[in-house]
Amino acid sequence: MSVDTVLLDFRVLGCTDKNIYTRDVATVATCVAEILKQDCLEQGFLASAYSYAAIYSGPKDCMFTIKHYFREGLITLTIEYFKINSEDALFPDYEAVERLERLVTKNLDADGGSSLPAVRRCLPKTPYLRSSDDRILEYKYDKLLFSERTPFQLVEIYSTPDFGNMLVLDGYVNLAESDIAYTHNLMCKGKINYKDKDVLILGGGDGALLWELLQEKEQPKFVTMVDIDEAVIRSCKEFMPDVSGKIMEKLEGDKYKIIIDDAFKWLKTYKDEGRKFDFIFGDLTDIPVHEGGETWEFVRSVLYESLSNLPVGGQYLTHCNGVNAHSSLKLFEELLQTLGIPLTFKTTKAFVPSFMETWVFYQITKTGEAITQNGEKEKEPASEPDKKEDKKEDKKEDKKEKKEDKKKEEKKEEKKSPEKKGAKGTKD
């Protein structure tokens, strides 16, 4: 059961003669009636200095609108109807829509026409998702396997004939069983040696990155994964076990640990502990297309804290957005230059099947320590000094205290004196 909308467009010569453009609209209506094999009744019209539109009713409670932008010679035909099942459809298939397109083009003597398969609306679960640059993508779902609204997001897993089981978070495809290209490009498989490295994954609740890292011939020393949403881990463990190699059956192993908690909180915890990771993966939300808002602040904070938890030479590896989301990629690169941490970055690209687009990945290398507000570099946590150094520091502190006491006495004397001092650096 759905409400279907069929869209057709035509191009004719532009004109301002009312007789011509109203005749064109009537011609289109006659063609629709011929294809539907039933008379259609005009229910009204709207006119302006730029367009003329007529509304018609037809069989099976359908309604269609013909609008003529007569100055430019553009005609749109929009047909909407209710459908219980495929047998009940006004147009049994797309071929019927194409026949209507050809008939109208011929009878109008139009320069050209175009049409789209019916857009299915009012479904319990829409098959339409968006690309990174807001193009419409239509997916074919066999079955909804999992759906749960958590405090963080809507978690869904669909069975699809094209991509296998597919994880969708808040209406965006996150990963499907077909998407090994995503994981391999995120980790730069074959280009980076993870042997004996300490690795942190932020997000990654599907388990794919964790599993692939531990399949490397030269294995990391240890991999820590922190994901906030238990439902993502639970659902992927049940319905997408091949993606994670069933590694998430246990939250901890000899080479890994899974923490269900706020990744940002753990970044701060590790920073306070002085713990450094050789590699940190940002397998979190997509980078927003527009600047500003809470998501951008979150991205900035995660970037800064992640780079702070890397040694010089360490790398932050992340995905960003689709190759056509130009503003998002530009804003992300501009953001990298404002963090106050010396770095360099490279990008790679890969087509991800279930995304239906080419995705961009970033490899960010930390080249120096963060610059603080007073212009100094952040220092590594100091090791505990020996007793000799303690004595030297105590002597220095005593000298400083004596000097400060002397300055305070001098200031008191100045206050007693009636002479006024001029402000330093002010102009006359």
Side-chain angles (χ1 to χ4, degrees):
M1 186 170 65
S2 65
V3 175
D4 285 12
T5 303
V6 175
L7 304 171
L8 302 96
D9 308 323
F10 305 94
R11 287 174 103 38
V12 295
L13 291 174
C15 73
T16 55
D17 188 331
K18 183 178 179 180
N19 292 325
I20 294 176
Y21 60 72
T22 54
R23 184 191 64 199
D24 286 346
V25 169
T27 299
V28 175
T30 301
C31 292
V32 174
E34 183 176 334
I35 291 294
L36 298 181
K37 299 178 181 178
Q38 187 170 328
D39 289 340
C40 299
L41 300 176
E42 183 176 350
Q43 301 295 335
F45 69 91
L46 296 169
S48 74
Y50 305 97
S51 66
Y52 176 84
I55 302 170
Y56 291 81
S57 60
K60 296 186 177 181
D61 200 32
C62 81
M63 182 192 78
F64 60 94
T65 303
I66 307 164
K67 190 166 186 177
H68 198 324
Y69 300 89
F70 48 79
R71 293 176 184 273
E72 291 79 18
L74 305 176
I75 300 175
T76 63
L77 169 59
T78 305
I79 306 172
E80 182 176 299
Y81 58 94
F82 177 75
K83 180 181 74 177
I84 297 175
N85 51 46
S86 57
E87 288 75 26
D88 186 52
L90 194 65
F91 294 93
D93 49 38
Y94 182 55
E95 187 178 341
V97 176
E98 289 183 307
R99 284 201 301 273
L100 174 59
E101 178 194 331
R102 290 193 294 270
L103 180 63
V104 173
T105 301
K106 177 183 176 182
N107 287 7
L108 280 178
D109 194 22
D111 294 335
S114 62
S115 61
L116 294 172
V119 177
R120 294 176 293 151
R121 302 159 63 190
C122 301
L123 293 166
K125 293 292 180 181
T126 179
Y128 303 103
L129 301 179
R130 292 182 294 147
S131 69
S132 61
D133 57 332
D134 294 333
R135 285 173 289 120
I136 299 172
L137 306 175
E138 183 174 2
Y139 291 80
K140 181 175 176 56
Y141 302 139
D142 285 339
K143 187 178 180 181
L144 176 62
L145 302 173
F146 181 91
S147 180
E148 183 176 322
R149 170 70 69 177
T150 75
F152 314 106
Q153 58 202 341
L154 174 61
V155 181
E156 297 173 308
I157 295 182
Y158 291 91
S159 170
T160 75
D162 298 300
F163 313 112
N165 291 352
M166 184 171 73
L167 173 65
V168 180
L169 302 179
D170 280 339
Y172 287 94
V173 177
N174 194 259
L175 194 79
E177 291 176 324
S178 61
D179 296 341
I180 192 65
Y182 172 90
T183 307
H184 283 177
N185 277 273
L186 178 59
M187 63 185 282
C188 295
K189 186 174 177 65
K191 299 176 183 178
I192 293 178
N193 186 351
Y194 294 97
K195 183 180 180 182
D196 298 329
K197 302 299 183 183
D198 200 3
V199 179
L200 175 63
I201 300 173
L202 308 176
D206 49 70
L209 180 58
L210 173 62
W211 172 249
E212 289 298 324
L213 284 168
L214 294 176
Q215 299 314 297
E216 292 286 277
K217 290 182 180 179
E218 305 286 358
Q219 285 192 344
K221 179 174 70 175
F222 199 82
V223 182
T224 305
M225 185 184 98
V226 187
D227 194 291
I228 198 170
D229 204 334
E230 179 271 341
V232 174
I233 295 172
R234 173 164 42 89
S235 60
C236 289
K237 186 167 64 175
E238 182 177 356
F239 296 106
M240 297 174 65
D242 292 342
V243 164
S244 62
K246 299 183 180 179
I247 198 169
M248 295 195 298
E249 293 293 333
K250 295 181 180 180
L251 294 181
E252 193 167 352
D254 294 336
K255 287 274 191 176
Y256 72 93
K257 183 176 182 179
I258 298 171
I259 300 171
I260 302 174
D261 205 349
D262 184 353
F264 190 67
K265 184 184 86 174
W266 279 89
L267 279 173
K268 289 188 173 181
T269 298
Y270 292 136
K271 186 177 180 180
D272 293 340
E273 293 174 352
R275 183 176 176 183
K276 297 286 185 179
F277 294 89
D278 299 297
F279 294 94
I280 298 178
F281 286 92
D283 197 10
L284 298 161
T285 183
D286 298 348
I287 303 302
V289 175
H290 304 291
E291 193 172 12
E294 291 181 1
T295 307
W296 265 111
E297 282 303 312
F298 174 74
V299 170
R300 181 186 179 85
S301 298
V302 167
L303 276 168
Y304 185 85
E305 294 298 331
S306 295
L307 290 167
S308 298
N309 281 281
L310 292 171
V312 174
Q315 286 191 304
Y316 180 77
L317 308 175
T318 188
H319 72 108
C320 186
N321 221 317
V323 71
N324 293 307
H326 303 296
S327 63
S328 178
L329 301 175
K330 182 183 177 184
L331 288 169
F332 183 69
E333 293 181 9
E334 289 174 351
L335 176 61
L336 292 177
Q337 306 303 327
T338 65
L339 294 173
I341 299 178
L343 58 84
T344 59
F345 66 85
K346 295 179 181 179
T347 62
T348 55
K349 301 173 186 176
F351 182 81
V352 181
S354 74
F355 294 7
M356 297 192 201
E357 58 181 319
T358 298
W359 214 247
V360 181
F361 303 84
Y362 280 76
Q363 301 85 46
I364 303 164
T365 303
K366 181 178 178 180
T367 59
E369 294 301 336
I371 307 300
T372 59
Q373 288 184 349
N374 60 9
E376 295 179 356
K377 291 184 179 180
E378 281 189 0
K379 296 180 180 178
E380 298 289 337
S383 58
E384 188 177 341
D386 58 31
K387 292 181 180 179
K388 288 182 181 179
E389 288 175 338
D390 284 342
K391 289 178 181 178
K392 288 180 180 178
E393 290 297 322
D394 289 340
K395 288 180 180 178
K396 288 179 180 178
E397 290 297 324
D398 289 339
K399 288 181 179 179
K400 283 182 180 178
E401 287 176 7
K402 288 178 182 179
K403 286 181 179 179
E404 287 175 0
D405 290 339
K406 192 175 180 181
K407 286 180 179 178
K408 286 179 181 178
E409 289 297 324
E410 288 175 354
K411 284 182 178 179
K412 286 180 181 178
E413 291 298 322
E414 287 174 1
K415 284 182 179 179
K416 290 177 183 178
S417 172
E419 185 181 352
K420 291 183 180 179
K421 300 283 185 179
K424 185 177 179 181
T426 58
K427 293 182 180 178
D428 294 336

